[in-house]
Amino acid sequence: MAVSAAVAGLAALALFLSGCGAGGTGARDEGPAHADSVAGATSSPSVFPSSTPDRVNAVKLVKADPQVSAEVKRELKPCVADEYPVDVSYGDLTGSSADDVVVNVLTCGDAVGVGSYVYREEGGRYQNVFKAEEPPVYAEIDRGDLVVTKQVYEEGDPVSSPSGENVITYRWASDRFVEKYRIRNDYSSAVGPDASPTQSG
């Protein structure tokens, strides 16, 4: 009987271990990731390139870009030492032979996006092929599309509590980005630190 119990225990252990090894990837598709740490953060592209992309100096790229407004360039200064508030993503958005570069410029204090740009390599140089400079704004690569999130403020909204957001999906076509989808998300005013329950008598 002891031998039978031992054999049964071993069989159960083998079954348990094989079940643990058969898990899936556990991948998730989440919304905009506005990083808490904005200095020198690098986002992972949604589409994995065939080779390791060449890293670019995003700060130098933005500062030398004549399409970037003077206001954004003034905002682009080190937060701590030589660390700048930029998020950079690499991925295939335009079908170019090299990875495209998405740069988000943020504020140091509260990580609010003040400018989003897409750069495409053309003839060995990066060219600005998209910009959005209406803060708060944030751009990301999502399965080969450019997704731009813009928070919406109604009259009287504090900076910390926008009324909602517009999520706009762009796709590269005929040498430019074309809007494909637009989604409006309205935030609830019934939750949050400033909300108080309505009382009835």
Side-chain angles (χ1 to χ4, degrees):
M1 181 174 293
V3 173
S4 298
V7 170
L10 287 174
L13 179 61
L15 182 62
F16 173 76
L17 291 176
S18 66
C20 289
T25 62
R28 296 180 303 187
D29 186 12
E30 299 185 6
H34 304 280
D36 292 333
S37 175
V38 301
T42 303
S43 303
S44 298
S46 299
V47 179
F48 293 101
S50 57
S51 60
T52 303
D54 293 330
R55 295 294 188 249
V56 301
N57 185 329
V59 174
K60 183 177 179 181
L61 198 61
V62 170
K63 286 190 171 184
D65 185 355
Q67 295 191 50
V68 176
S69 70
E71 184 177 353
V72 170
K73 289 181 180 180
R74 279 195 305 270
E75 198 71 47
L76 186 53
K77 54 190 176 184
C79 297
V80 178
D82 60 348
E83 296 182 355
Y84 286 81
V86 293
D87 285 351
V88 185
S89 300
Y90 299 87
D92 183 12
L93 284 170
T94 68
S96 174
S97 58
D99 281 302
D100 301 303
V101 183
V102 177
V103 180
N104 288 287
V105 178
L106 314 168
T107 59
C108 286
D110 45 15
V112 171
V114 295
S116 298
Y117 311 93
V118 178
Y119 293 93
R120 181 176 196 260
E121 188 182 46
E122 297 177 1
R125 300 183 63 183
Y126 283 99
Q127 302 293 326
N128 185 325
V129 292
F130 179 89
K131 74 172 184 175
E133 294 182 330
E134 297 175 6
V137 62
Y138 198 88
E140 297 177 289
I141 301 172
D142 185 4
R143 291 166 289 204
D145 289 334
L146 176 66
V147 178
V148 178
T149 302
K150 297 181 178 180
Q151 291 183 324
V152 177
Y153 289 87
E154 303 292 349
E155 186 176 352
D157 285 347
V159 174
S160 60
S161 301
S163 292
E165 66 180 10
N166 289 324
V167 182
I168 310 165
T169 300
Y170 295 92
R171 191 165 293 162
W172 185 257
S174 301
D175 295 328
R176 65 189 181 95
F177 282 103
V178 178
E179 182 178 326
K180 301 300 291 185
Y181 312 105
R182 180 181 289 257
I183 299 172
R184 168 65 184 258
N185 296 318
D186 289 324
Y187 300 151
S188 172
S189 58
V191 296
D194 300 327
S196 57
T198 303
Q199 298 182 358
S200 58

